[in-house]
Amino acid sequence: MTYQPYTLHGETRNSRWLITCDHATNTVPPDLGGTLGLPDEDMARHIAFDPGAAGVTRALADALNAPAILSNFSRLVIDPNRGEDDPTLLMRLYDGSVIPGNRDADEAEMQRRLNAYYRPYHTALEAMAARRDDTVIVAVHSYTRQLKSRPSRPWHIGVLHAYDARLSDPFIAALEAEPDLVVGRNQPYPGHLPGDAIDRHALHHGRLNTLIELRNDLIETEAAQTAWGQRLAPLLVTALEQTAD
């Protein structure tokens, strides 16, 4: 089977919602030999992808009858949620792990990876977003409960946004009304990096958007991923109904 740097789910659905998953897999493409020289236990960690996020993305898309686009390369190969001039676009050290396959990656290799993986993903994402004038982008990510030598993070879910919080504000309010959730606004990190996927595909076009960060120990199983997707969908619908766009 020919390698493709992204996958589409529900591609023909004509919904204004578009669900994205920038860090869906820990795949290292065949032309890189299928490995970056890291042990399997590191490739299974959050440093290589967002565990559980792909399953939530598909479940959320199904619950909203919406299309989704998911990356098909590890963030360690090249990070599709970074701008092309971001110094963390290609990481050589991440949360205590050295990435051997990136140690000697020069500018030519960076450009090759941009052309082979990163740019095709963004081209496809933009094509999906441009199908309608009223597209709403929901980006799904996950985060680890605790980085090495850092305090434990208390939130079940974070909602990240930049200056356009039209959708995020009512969505956060809907989440905070849930009695069993600890919700973070722009947690566990700030919600905007210049050139990131939301900046590029939502903010620059005036599209409604929000970015969801789920703690990855809460979405370890397929059942949990489905449950979260189905739980979030009506809250997003409620938030959109309260949004003036």
Side-chain angles (χ1 to χ4, degrees):
M1 182 179 294
T2 303
Y3 170 78
Q4 182 81 354
Y6 59 88
T7 59
L8 299 176
H9 179 80
E11 179 182 5
T12 61
R13 295 170 179 167
N14 185 29
S15 168
R16 69 180 300 194
W17 298 100
L18 174 61
I19 317 304
T20 69
C21 191
D22 298 325
H23 300 142
T25 75
N26 58 2
T27 300
V28 178
D31 59 3
L32 283 171
T35 177
L36 292 171
L38 284 168
D40 291 345
E41 54 266 32
D42 270 342
M43 291 303 295
R45 293 204 298 133
H46 69 98
I47 66 170
F49 72 125
D50 285 355
V56 174
T57 295
R58 288 188 286 267
L60 179 59
D62 290 345
L64 292 170
N65 195 29
I69 180 168
L70 304 91
S71 69
N72 190 31
F73 53 94
S74 170
R75 70 198 304 168
L76 296 180
V77 171
I78 195 161
D79 193 332
N81 193 37
R82 296 291 184 269
E84 292 195 16
D85 59 352
D86 192 302
T88 65
L89 182 65
L90 195 156
M91 297 289 283
R92 292 171 170 81
L93 174 69
Y94 198 160
D95 195 23
S97 294
V98 174
I99 297 88
N102 292 347
R103 183 184 296 119
D104 299 322
D106 57 12
E107 180 60 27
E109 175 60 13
M110 174 89 76
Q111 289 299 318
R112 192 195 69 78
R113 295 187 193 185
L114 284 167
N115 288 328
Y117 324 124
Y118 178 105
R119 289 170 180 151
Y121 171 74
H122 282 285
T123 297
L125 198 166
E126 181 54 38
M128 295 293 289
R131 297 188 308 171
R132 295 180 56 132
D133 293 333
D134 60 352
T135 295
V136 180
I137 296 179
V138 178
V140 177
H141 292 254
S142 73
Y143 70 95
T144 190
R145 185 167 192 162
Q146 186 169 15
L147 296 171
K148 291 183 178 179
S149 303
R150 299 288 182 88
S152 179
R153 294 157 159 174
W155 311 281
H156 300 106
I157 184 171
V159 177
L160 278 56
H161 64 84
Y163 52 83
D164 182 358
R166 290 175 293 165
L167 181 61
S168 294
D169 282 345
F171 182 45
I172 290 170
L175 288 166
E176 288 178 337
E178 299 283 297
D180 60 333
L181 295 182
V182 178
V183 182
R185 180 188 292 269
N186 284 329
Q187 297 288 354
Y189 19 72
H192 178 58
L193 288 171
D196 68 12
I198 286 289
D199 185 43
R200 178 172 179 169
H201 297 290
L203 298 178
H204 283 190
H205 299 272
R207 294 173 178 137
L208 291 169
N209 68 89
T210 195
L211 190 153
I212 296 167
E213 286 276 3
L214 281 164
R215 212 176 69 205
N216 62 28
D217 63 306
L218 303 177
I219 51 173
E220 291 179 338
T221 66
E222 183 177 348
Q225 294 156 20
T226 299
W228 270 101
Q230 293 175 346
R231 181 178 188 177
L232 293 173
L235 301 179
L236 284 164
V237 170
T238 297
L240 184 59
E241 289 172 348
Q242 299 171 8
T243 299
D245 62 340

